[in-house]
Amino acid sequence: MRQSATRLVLPVCFAALLMAGCDNTFTPKGTFRPQLVVFCILDPGADMQVVRLAVSYDSEVSSNPVPLTPVEVDSAVVLVNDKKRGYAFTDTLIALPGGGQQRVWISRTLAPQSDVAYTLTVRVPGYDPVSVSALMPGKLYPWLKYEKPDTGYGRIRMMPGYANAQNPPYGYFYRMFVVFTRNDGGPPDETRMEVPASFDSETGEAVYAVPMRNSEVSIPVPNVWFAFNRLRGTDTVLVNKQLLVKAYAMDDHFYRYYKMVLGFDDPLTLRIDRPDLSFIPDGLGLFGMVNTDSMRFNFATYVK
């Protein structure tokens, strides 16, 4: 009899524990602490250097987060230093493509230099200051080399124009354009079109270059003719045909941020989450570097 009672009591107790546990709802949301969000990419090729600021906000846990505590930054001290001097950024309003305005901090006096380290410091009332450093990589000085295989079409290789760099980039981004001048009786008009890196095997659509770790990349000559023929038209006279190569030397912060947010080196991997990625100590966001350069080459020398 005692054994039967024991068998009855144990399931009842277990059921009671389950019912009590159901009253405690589980949420993956942790304690929220607002932080400064900083976004800045120094670029020697830009007319001005820009810093964007925001504050992280709390939200409901859902597929479409609903802000609970949105905060705009309207007052800040923004300073970029190298070893020689400091550059104070001033706030201004810029127009947004979709309409409206956004407050940013700009400097027209800072002209970033290759192989120089810069430190960004941001102070906003009511928040802990943030400070982060990054090193500007050297220019790529892009160069071309025509490669003729034993069979098939030739290729044009894009590469750095130096043997050894003092501060080589972490990521490389090359873009090739067909450039020529239209001369059909009116004023000369220079026009250009980007050369695709490849074509999708299923759809046939053009696929364009993306940042990568490889310091060199090659493009088949037929890809150049594809861009040339689309750009040429039928009733125009073309003069001064050229190849324009734009090369972007990216530091590790900028390259890793790009790959985490916009893509992976593995073409089969897709992002389905929203990474809370940051390269700002005690804050969120990015302070990165990109050194841009370009070079023009004679069309006929490489397109054979």
Side-chain angles (χ1 to χ4, degrees):
M1 183 69 179
R2 180 177 299 176
Q3 187 176 14
S4 299
T6 302
R7 290 177 180 176
L8 179 62
V9 169
L10 288 178
V12 171
C13 292
F14 183 66
L17 288 173
L18 287 177
M19 293 179 66
C22 291
D23 293 335
N24 298 324
T25 57
F26 169 76
T27 176
K29 182 178 177 181
T31 302
F32 172 73
R33 182 175 68 90
Q35 293 178 286
L36 282 180
V37 182
V38 180
F39 189 89
C40 175
I41 298 174
L42 295 187
D43 179 2
D47 295 333
M48 61 182 179
Q49 307 306 314
V50 180
V51 176
R52 290 176 169 84
L53 301 177
V55 175
S56 62
Y57 56 79
D58 197 6
S59 66
E60 295 287 359
V61 178
S62 64
S63 57
N64 294 311
V66 178
L68 297 179
T69 56
V71 177
E72 293 185 2
V73 177
D74 56 12
S75 177
V77 176
V78 179
L79 188 68
V80 171
N81 290 84
D82 57 23
K83 290 184 177 180
K84 297 181 179 179
R85 58 167 293 185
Y87 302 85
F89 282 55
T90 57
D91 66 306
T92 187
L93 294 175
I94 61 172
L96 299 176
Q101 294 180 318
Q102 180 183 23
R103 185 178 302 277
V104 298
W105 281 257
I106 66 170
S107 172
R108 297 184 185 275
T109 58
L110 171 58
Q113 302 295 315
S114 300
D115 307 311
V116 174
Y118 294 92
T119 299
L120 170 66
T121 303
V122 177
R123 294 183 175 86
V124 175
Y127 299 90
D128 294 335
V130 297
S131 182
V132 58
S133 298
L135 178 64
M136 178 66 71
K139 283 188 176 182
L140 289 177
Y141 301 101
W143 197 250
L144 296 183
K145 178 181 179 181
Y146 176 76
E147 298 177 334
K148 180 175 177 57
D150 295 335
T151 59
Y153 296 103
R155 303 180 71 91
I156 302 174
R157 180 172 295 277
M158 295 181 284
M159 66 188 76
Y162 50 75
N164 296 300
Q166 176 182 345
N167 176 36
Y170 189 87
Y172 300 79
F173 183 25
Y174 295 99
R175 301 174 69 190
M176 179 184 289
F177 297 82
V178 173
V179 180
F180 56 73
T181 302
R182 294 183 184 273
N183 189 358
D184 51 6
D189 178 32
E190 183 177 279
T191 184
R192 66 181 62 174
M193 177 168 286
E194 187 169 0
V195 177
S198 61
F199 294 89
D200 189 279
S201 59
E202 295 183 358
T203 65
E205 294 182 354
V207 179
Y208 294 92
V210 296
M212 59 185 183
R213 292 298 310 278
N214 297 334
S215 62
E216 301 181 3
V217 62
S218 63
I219 291 182
V221 170
N223 295 20
V224 181
W225 284 117
F226 169 84
F228 177 87
N229 291 328
R230 292 193 62 181
L231 187 63
R232 178 177 58 181
T234 56
D235 299 323
T236 58
V237 177
L238 310 181
V239 297
N240 196 27
K241 295 187 289 291
Q242 295 178 319
L243 291 177
L244 169 65
V245 176
K246 290 189 173 183
Y248 306 82
M250 305 168 69
D251 78 329
D252 60 332
H253 289 183
F254 187 21
Y255 179 84
R256 289 160 57 195
Y257 180 90
Y258 173 90
K259 286 298 181 179
M260 286 294 295
V261 174
L262 296 179
F264 289 99
D265 288 320
D266 172 14
L268 301 180
T269 302
L270 299 176
R271 275 225 88 92
I272 59 175
D273 63 342
R274 298 181 180 181
D276 197 15
L277 178 70
S278 176
F279 294 96
I280 305 295
D282 301 318
L284 298 171
L286 167 69
F287 180 53
M289 304 281 167
V290 59
N291 205 342
T292 58
D293 197 9
S294 64
M295 194 76 70
R296 291 174 181 251
F297 303 87
N298 181 270
F299 187 89
T301 301
Y302 298 95
V303 184
K304 304 176 183 180

